[in-house]
Amino acid sequence: MRLVLLGAPGSGKGTQAARLKEHLRVPHISTGDLLRAEVAAGSPLGLQAKEVMARGDLVSDEILLGMLEDRLSRPDVADGFILDGYPRNLAQADALGHLLARLQQPFDHALQLEVDTERLVERLAGRAQAEGRADDNPESVRNRLKVYTDLTAPVIDYYRQRGMLKVVHGEGSMDEVFTRIVEAISVGTEVG
Ligand code: AP5
């Protein structure tokens, strides 16, 4: 199964991808995690990305595509993957389509986790207190939500218009959301 998870910051993509990874037995590829690993390693790419991420802006399309091509050419994705955090703008959506066509690995579902903005802000504030992630401060969260509305929300429409989108209500307990996702990707309901 090849799954693309979409949703605003704090919608639960990472949380649900960790569960789906066990359920589907395919790797979870999070572009945010890949970038944070580069930052932690102090690599040239990480140094370039660090400030951009802390502000909540998007790292360049070129860097992301290179990183993704590299990750998707590893053998562990032969049976599928869960992609979390990509695509984040229309250029990335086009690039992903071309890349997967070239790899002959079209994805099965683009799945959006839909969560109210108020709830997103609450969740990210909770994580800021618990974990202190560099981009969970109020100013960066505001910018991440704006970037999502301006640049990433059109990606949702892009897949909807192509009949490739499933929408899952992302509120409620983590178990409830997980059950909804599994139903949506199993029986093909809730096409948005
Ligand atoms: P990324 O790491 O992708 O961050 P994000 O999209 O802002 O996502 P989050 O990790 O904040 O939210 P999530 O939806 O994964 O929710 P989570 O499960 O963590 O990207 C970070 C940065 O990297 C970007 O801003 C950008 O700079 C750069 N970047 C990444 N990809 C890029 C790309 N393609 N192009 C350019 N730049 C890119 O949950 C959030 C919190 O809510 C957690 O505390 C969790 O425990 C809690 N929670 C989850 N589900 C529930 C629930 N059901 N009930 C209650 N709490 C819940």
Side-chain angles (χ1 to χ4, degrees):
M1 164 92 55
R2 289 182 286 271
L3 185 62
V4 174
L5 276 186
L6 303 164
S11 58
K13 303 181 296 295
T15 302
Q16 296 300 332
R19 291 166 175 235
L20 285 163
K21 172 186 164 176
E22 302 303 322
H23 182 75
L24 299 170
R25 297 184 182 283
V26 295
H28 168 204
I29 301 175
S30 155
T31 49
D33 286 350
L34 291 174
L35 287 166
R36 279 185 288 277
E38 296 285 346
V39 171
S43 70
L45 194 159
L47 292 174
Q48 252 182 290
K50 187 174 178 180
E51 294 304 318
V52 180
M53 292 175 75
R55 281 200 307 272
D57 285 328
L58 295 186
V59 176
S60 83
D61 289 348
E62 198 188 348
I63 288 182
L64 263 293
L65 185 59
M67 233 174 51
L68 194 64
E69 274 189 284
D70 178 53
R71 184 63 188 87
L72 288 179
S73 51
R74 293 199 209 151
D76 66 337
V77 300
D79 292 332
F81 54 77
I82 301 155
L83 185 55
D84 153 17
Y86 194 101
R88 266 182 143 93
N89 59 31
L90 290 173
Q92 292 187 6
D94 276 337
L96 181 66
H98 291 306
L99 176 60
L100 294 182
R102 180 154 56 78
L103 298 172
Q104 298 186 310
Q105 294 192 342
F107 64 75
D108 299 289
H109 306 286
L111 191 143
Q112 179 202 3
L113 289 175
E114 201 171 43
V115 175
D116 272 359
T117 306
E118 206 180 317
R119 189 80 57 242
L120 298 172
V121 172
E122 271 171 26
R123 287 184 185 177
L124 296 175
R127 189 172 62 188
Q129 283 202 322
E131 296 173 26
R133 199 172 112 172
D135 57 352
D136 279 343
N137 64 80
E139 195 183 333
S140 300
V141 166
R142 259 195 305 281
N143 191 39
R144 284 160 66 199
L145 291 171
K146 180 172 173 5
V147 166
Y148 180 79
T149 304
D150 293 349
L151 299 176
T152 312
V155 173
I156 307 282
D157 291 331
Y158 174 99
Y159 289 129
R160 182 180 285 117
Q161 283 160 12
R162 287 162 176 74
M164 297 162 85
L165 182 73
K166 288 171 191 288
V167 181
V168 167
H169 182 50
E171 297 183 32
S173 74
M174 294 176 194
D175 286 345
E176 284 167 344
V177 177
F178 179 69
T179 302
R180 286 181 208 134
I181 295 174
V182 171
E183 276 172 15
I185 61 179
S186 307
V187 297
T189 54
E190 291 199 66
V191 176

